[in-house]
Amino acid sequence: MASTAAGKQRIPKVAKVKNKAPAEVQITAEQLLREAKERELELLPPPPKQKITDKEELNDYKLRKRKGYEDNIRKNRTIISNWIKYAQWEESLNEIQRARSIYERALDVDHRNITLWLKYAEMEMKSRQVNHARNIWDRAITILPRANQFWYKYTYMEEMLGNIAGCRQVFERWMEWEPEEQAWHSYINFELRYKEVEKARTIYERYILLRLIIMLLKNWIKYSRFEERHGYIAHSRKVFERAVEFFGEENIDENLYVAFAKFEERQKESERVRVIYKYALDRIPKQQAQALFKNYTMFEKKFGDRRGIEDVIVSKRRFQYEEEVKANPHNYDAWFDYLRLLESDADPDAVREVYERAIANVPPIQEKRHWRRYIYLWINYALYEELEVKDPERTRQVYQACLELIPHKKFTYAKMWLMYGKFEIRQKNLPGARRGLGTAIGKCPKNKLFKGYIELELQLREFDRCRKLYEKYLEFSPENCTTWIKFAELETILGDVDRARAIFELAIGQPRLDMPEVLWKAYIDFEIEQEEYDNTRELYKRLLQRTQHVKVWISYAQFELSIDSSDRLQRCRQIYEEANKGLRSCEEKEERLMLLESWRDYEQEFGSDGSRERVKKLLPEKVKRRRKLTAEDGSDAGWEEYYDYIFPEDSANQPNLKLLAMAKMWKKQQQQEDERLSAKHILYSLHIRQRELLGRQRAALQGYSISSGRTGCGSGMIDFFSVSLDKAFLISAERGASCHYYTTVKNN
């Protein structure tokens, strides 16, 4: 039975992964290990401590450990860490001879392993076996002479032992291999620690003449500083002179001359410093002498006179700018930089000369975009004369010369005219300023000129002149709505409401306007501010005769709602109704929808239930439709879906609404039919199942009647139940009953 039960025991099913997409947060192996470490999931108990009590146990322990190490080495001889662990274990037991033997065996395996040599030598030094350590270092530097660690440790050991001669001998052996720069400095520092300056100088001489280091300028500079630090000034200067002669003009470097000049500066030799800088500047290209110029400038600021300082500062950049403007006289940016440099330090005559040279380069093409940078040369020239030199008469001449030069018939610069006018006002020459601006408006009227002139007169509180200027402005540009609005605002501020209203009337009567909606809004706001509500209503009506825009209707309704009157709600609702009627013929259904939504919000706040229901019935139904797209070349570009709105009020859309209602009814009937068919299918399946059960019961009853001698009772009873169930199934199927109904009949 147990085996049968075990056989029948089912293996649990493995859950299928339905979503095989990668998870949003990926877990790495590193993260799993870190979490395991943090949670201490794999804490192993520490190994038990073994207490050795006699020599025999100690020998057994040593034998086991040595056997383990030997086995590890035998498995893989090339793993040097096993050899080192083995030797260090022997060293910990003071078995120096055994450890030495292990290191020697390891060197036979890999004699080029630097770590192995270092551990071997350190062991000998720890055990104070100096001769053994020397022997190991000698073998190491012989086999691996390019491993600098051996040389550093060997020399350090000899110096710590006080064997200065031996240490010097090791350094000499090392220098024969021409090592890197740091090795030479270590040798030099070693000699300096023992006050052997002559030997250090000899090492420097050998060092700077090496084949691999000879072209490094910094080594010559270090040599010179070494001589200077020890008080040998003549030797230091001689090193610099040798370096200048050695590198020559082919490999000339500004850093050498900077260091040479700083050395002479420290020795208070100012004339020598100046000669060095000038010698270098004459031979080094300008673009490669930035640091040289900078240091020369600092030197002149410290020790030179004013003229020398100016020459140093300006000479480099002046030369550069002169080259640029010679190459391209119409490079106005270069002229700007050049003039800015001169304005900071040069005298006015030199600056004027450069300005005259700059403005003489008139653009060859009479197009405004080519003149923009050029005109700023004149502007800077005038500002320099006015602010820096403080010469008003020359400034006036600059402005007049510039204005005569500009071809006003093709284009003009309002900025220049306005600056000239403001300059004359600063000089308290108001008639001259008005004369200049009037000439500008007569020659070349521009929006910016009119605005600047009007702003100027407003600041002077000359309102009659402002009116005249606005009239001229509107004669020049009658379509400019902003000008009309500003003119009306001026009259409103002055308290002349009728004049402001007349200006607005003239404005809206213009045949062409650039921003008519802004003008109408300003006019309406003006009437609202004056509390002329009848005039405002009249304006809205006139505006609606010109345009049926939905925002105008909504603004009109909100205006009526904002007025404090008894019939404001009725007026507002009436406007919404008129707007709805007016927008029925509008092709933009979104605008009509916007109006109805605004109306709905109004009714929700102020209306009754009936009015809310009425507006709700007016809201359209949103449907999705498709339309065919055509490419630019006339080919078929596919179909696109878009949303359309069907308004209940539109008589043309009534068939569409009936069609939608019929479609919904047909869909509902289809769903009911599908439910009825599914119920019939379930009933039929249950009926077949029940017939099978009755067949099995009939066979069982027949067997019972034969055994008991009753032949007729069982079959009659079975036929009765069978007929009853068949009738129940037919009745249920005809009525479209559900599965629950059939189950109830079956149970009964």
Side-chain angles (χ1 to χ4, degrees):
M1 291 296 291
S3 61
T4 305
K8 289 183 178 181
Q9 186 178 3
R10 293 183 179 180
I11 300 174
K13 292 183 179 180
V14 179
K16 293 184 178 180
V17 180
K18 295 182 179 179
N19 185 7
K20 295 184 180 180
E24 295 181 0
V25 180
Q26 296 292 319
I27 300 176
T28 61
E30 181 184 356
Q31 184 176 354
L32 292 174
L33 293 174
R34 187 171 61 251
E35 289 181 358
K37 177 66 177 175
E38 291 173 355
R39 299 178 184 177
E40 298 181 351
L41 298 177
E42 297 182 1
L43 284 179
L44 299 176
K49 293 183 179 180
Q50 185 178 3
K51 188 175 182 180
I52 299 174
T53 57
D54 55 6
K55 189 174 182 180
E56 184 177 356
E57 288 183 1
L58 178 61
N59 292 332
D60 290 341
Y61 167 72
K62 291 180 179 180
L63 181 62
R64 288 196 308 271
K65 292 290 287 185
R66 285 175 182 141
K67 186 177 183 302
Y69 281 122
E70 291 291 344
D71 290 341
N72 290 334
I73 292 171
R74 194 180 304 110
K75 289 176 184 177
N76 195 340
R77 294 171 56 84
T78 59
I79 299 178
I80 302 301
S81 60
N82 292 336
W83 293 96
I84 294 174
K85 290 177 183 178
Y86 189 9
Q88 288 177 346
W89 180 77
E90 292 288 358
E91 182 186 357
S92 65
L93 298 176
N94 291 326
E95 295 284 350
I96 304 301
Q97 191 61 35
R98 284 182 174 273
R100 193 177 291 129
S101 175
I102 294 166
Y103 276 121
E104 292 293 340
R105 290 166 58 195
L107 288 174
D108 291 339
V109 175
D110 186 5
H111 65 280
R112 304 188 67 83
N113 191 296
I114 296 176
T115 306
L116 191 61
W117 285 103
L118 292 175
K119 295 291 184 183
Y120 191 7
E122 286 174 2
M123 182 198 74
E124 296 291 358
M125 287 190 292
K126 286 179 183 177
S127 59
R128 300 182 183 278
Q129 300 292 329
V130 177
N131 290 329
H132 281 282
R134 286 196 180 106
N135 184 21
I136 294 167
W137 289 128
D138 283 332
R139 290 165 59 192
I141 61 178
T142 303
I143 296 173
L144 299 172
R146 292 296 179 187
N148 293 330
Q149 286 177 292
F150 297 155
W151 295 101
Y152 283 123
K153 293 214 177 254
Y154 193 5
T155 55
Y156 180 73
M157 184 191 76
E158 293 292 353
E159 188 175 0
M160 290 296 102
L161 293 173
N163 187 10
I164 307 303
C167 182
R168 185 176 289 113
Q169 185 178 3
V170 174
F171 268 119
E172 287 295 334
R173 289 174 60 187
W174 191 6
M175 296 305 113
E176 291 176 1
W177 290 95
E178 296 183 1
E180 61 183 10
E181 181 181 352
Q182 185 59 38
W184 289 93
H185 288 299
S186 298
Y187 191 11
I188 292 169
N189 293 333
F190 163 75
E191 294 292 355
L192 291 177
R193 282 196 293 271
Y194 297 98
K195 312 299 182 183
E196 297 288 347
V197 179
E198 290 296 331
K199 291 183 178 180
R201 182 180 293 115
T202 305
I203 298 168
Y204 260 121
E205 289 289 342
R206 292 167 55 191
Y207 169 48
I208 63 174
L209 296 177
L210 280 178
R211 180 173 53 85
L212 297 177
I213 305 177
I214 191 170
M215 297 306 295
L216 293 178
L217 175 62
K218 61 180 181 179
N219 297 322
W220 291 85
I221 297 174
K222 286 182 180 180
Y223 185 17
S224 175
R225 288 176 181 170
F226 158 77
E227 296 287 3
E228 181 185 2
R229 191 165 52 248
H230 290 86
Y232 297 97
I233 306 302
H235 284 275
S236 179
R237 184 177 290 115
K238 189 175 182 181
V239 171
F240 274 118
E241 292 172 355
R242 286 173 58 193
V244 171
E245 183 181 356
F246 175 79
F247 286 99
E249 295 186 3
E250 296 180 358
N251 300 310
I252 194 169
D253 193 336
E254 63 173 348
N255 295 321
L256 174 61
Y257 291 95
V258 170
F260 194 4
K262 287 183 177 180
F263 162 74
E264 296 292 354
E265 185 178 344
R266 288 191 294 270
Q267 308 309 318
K268 312 297 183 184
E269 297 285 349
S270 300
E271 291 300 323
R272 283 179 176 269
V273 175
R274 192 171 286 109
V275 170
I276 292 169
Y277 277 125
K278 290 182 178 180
Y279 176 85
L281 289 173
D282 291 340
R283 285 161 177 77
I284 298 177
K286 305 297 180 183
Q287 61 272 14
Q288 299 178 8
Q290 302 296 327
L292 197 64
F293 269 111
K294 182 179 178 181
N295 286 278
Y296 188 22
T297 304
M298 294 173 61
F299 166 75
E300 289 292 351
K301 286 182 178 179
K302 289 180 182 177
F303 305 102
D305 56 359
R306 183 175 180 276
R307 191 64 184 174
I309 296 172
E310 290 177 355
D311 290 342
V312 173
I313 294 174
V314 177
S315 60
K316 174 194 169 185
R317 295 177 65 187
R318 179 183 291 175
F319 176 80
Q320 178 184 352
Y321 292 138
E322 285 288 349
E323 292 295 327
E324 290 184 11
V325 298
K326 283 180 183 177
N328 184 9
H330 293 94
N331 184 4
Y332 300 118
D333 292 328
W335 285 110
F336 286 135
D337 296 337
Y338 191 10
L339 289 164
R340 195 178 300 116
L341 172 68
L342 294 177
E343 286 177 10
S344 60
D345 291 293
D347 58 329
D349 293 333
V351 177
R352 280 187 186 131
E353 180 186 356
V354 178
Y355 265 120
E356 294 294 336
R357 288 170 54 197
I359 61 178
N361 299 295
V362 182
I365 303 173
Q366 290 189 354
E367 293 183 8
K368 190 169 184 177
R369 60 190 181 92
H370 295 290
W371 281 63
R372 281 197 180 93
R373 304 294 290 164
Y374 174 69
I375 289 297
Y376 273 97
L377 280 174
W378 286 94
I379 293 174
N380 290 347
Y381 190 9
L383 293 176
Y384 173 76
E385 292 290 351
E386 181 184 1
L387 302 177
E388 300 294 335
V389 185
K390 302 186 184 304
D391 190 347
E393 189 60 35
R394 191 171 182 87
T395 306
R396 186 177 291 109
Q397 294 175 4
V398 171
Y399 277 120
Q400 291 174 354
C402 177
L403 293 173
E404 290 175 1
L405 183 65
I406 297 173
H408 299 291
K409 292 183 179 180
K410 294 186 178 181
F411 58 85
T412 189
Y413 285 92
K415 184 180 182 68
M416 182 60 74
W417 289 104
L418 293 173
M419 288 184 68
Y420 179 39
K422 292 177 181 178
F423 161 74
E424 293 291 358
I425 290 174
R426 287 194 294 271
Q427 303 304 320
K428 299 180 181 180
N429 185 10
L430 186 58
R434 284 175 176 157
R435 191 183 311 115
L437 292 174
T439 305
I441 291 174
K443 279 187 176 182
C444 45
K446 286 184 66 177
N447 291 333
K448 189 174 181 180
L449 271 174
F450 278 108
K451 290 178 182 178
Y453 197 1
I454 291 170
E455 183 67 24
L456 181 64
E457 296 293 353
L458 278 175
Q459 292 176 359
L460 297 172
R461 299 297 186 266
E462 295 287 345
F463 300 115
D464 291 334
R465 289 183 177 274
C466 289
R467 285 192 178 109
K468 292 180 182 179
L469 287 173
Y470 269 122
E471 291 172 2
K472 294 289 185 183
Y473 193 1
L474 291 172
E475 288 177 7
F476 165 70
S477 177
E479 72 279 357
N480 194 335
C481 292
T482 306
T483 308
W484 289 102
I485 295 170
K486 293 288 185 183
F487 193 8
E489 286 178 356
L490 173 65
E491 297 295 346
T492 306
I493 292 170
L494 296 176
D496 198 341
V497 178
D498 294 334
R499 191 179 178 91
R501 186 177 289 112
I503 291 170
F504 274 122
E505 288 293 335
L506 285 173
I508 62 177
Q510 297 298 318
R512 188 166 61 89
L513 295 170
D514 55 357
M515 293 185 295
E517 66 280 359
V518 178
L519 180 62
W520 279 94
K521 185 179 183 304
Y523 194 5
I524 291 170
D525 292 342
F526 164 75
E527 294 291 356
I528 293 173
E529 287 178 3
Q530 303 301 324
E531 297 183 357
E532 295 289 344
Y533 300 131
D534 293 334
N535 292 346
T536 306
R537 291 190 186 95
E538 187 64 27
L539 279 176
Y540 271 117
K541 291 176 182 178
R542 291 166 61 187
L543 180 57
L544 288 170
Q545 290 175 2
R546 298 192 179 193
T547 178
Q548 289 286 322
H549 199 277
V550 63
K551 290 186 178 180
V552 179
W553 285 107
I554 294 174
S555 176
Y556 191 10
Q558 291 175 352
F559 158 71
E560 292 290 354
L561 188 62
S562 63
I563 297 175
D564 188 9
S565 62
S566 58
D567 58 343
R568 65 190 185 98
L569 299 180
Q570 185 62 30
R571 283 178 177 272
C572 184
R573 187 176 290 109
Q574 184 179 356
I575 291 169
Y576 275 121
E577 291 175 354
E578 292 177 2
N580 188 30
K581 291 178 183 178
L583 293 177
R584 284 180 184 175
S585 60
C586 181
E587 295 181 358
E588 297 293 334
K589 296 183 179 182
E590 288 80 2
E591 294 186 0
R592 190 174 174 188
L593 176 62
M594 190 188 303
L595 175 71
L596 291 174
E597 288 177 348
S598 176
W599 192 3
R600 180 192 60 191
D601 296 339
Y602 161 74
E603 294 292 350
Q604 286 179 356
E605 186 174 356
F606 301 102
S608 60
D609 293 338
S611 61
R612 293 192 192 99
E613 189 64 27
R614 179 189 170 197
V615 176
K616 187 176 181 181
K617 290 179 180 179
L618 295 176
L619 290 173
E621 184 175 0
K622 189 176 181 180
V623 295
K624 185 186 289 187
R625 292 183 176 177
R626 299 177 67 202
R627 58 188 170 197
K628 195 172 184 179
L629 296 177
T630 306
E632 294 180 357
D633 56 356
S635 60
D636 187 8
W639 295 79
E640 74 167 352
E641 291 184 349
Y642 70 98
Y643 288 100
D644 194 11
Y645 299 97
I646 299 176
F647 292 88
E649 285 185 321
D650 296 345
S651 58
N653 290 331
Q654 292 298 329
N656 294 335
L657 291 176
K658 290 181 180 179
L659 181 62
L660 286 174
M662 292 172 65
K664 288 183 179 179
M665 187 180 297
W666 175 81
K667 187 174 182 181
K668 186 175 182 181
Q669 290 176 358
Q670 287 294 110
Q671 291 177 353
Q672 292 176 355
E673 187 68 23
D674 292 341
E675 290 176 358
R676 186 162 57 253
L677 290 176
S678 61
K680 285 183 178 181
H681 180 70
I682 294 170
L683 288 170
Y684 181 71
S685 301
L686 292 172
H687 174 68
I688 297 300
R689 178 66 177 167
Q690 191 65 31
R691 294 289 293 179
E692 292 176 357
L693 292 173
L694 288 172
R696 286 198 288 270
Q697 290 177 4
R698 183 184 293 114
L701 288 173
Q702 285 177 357
Y704 171 75
S705 61
I706 292 170
S707 63
S708 61
R710 298 176 182 179
T711 58
C713 178
S715 61
M717 188 180 297
I718 291 168
D719 293 338
F720 169 74
F721 280 111
S722 177
V723 171
S724 300
L725 288 171
D726 289 341
K727 287 181 179 181
F729 171 72
L730 292 173
I731 292 168
S732 302
E734 289 175 357
R735 295 180 180 177
S738 62
C739 179
H740 176 71
Y741 178 79
Y742 177 73
T743 306
T744 305
V745 173
K746 181 192 73 171
N747 293 334
N748 291 333

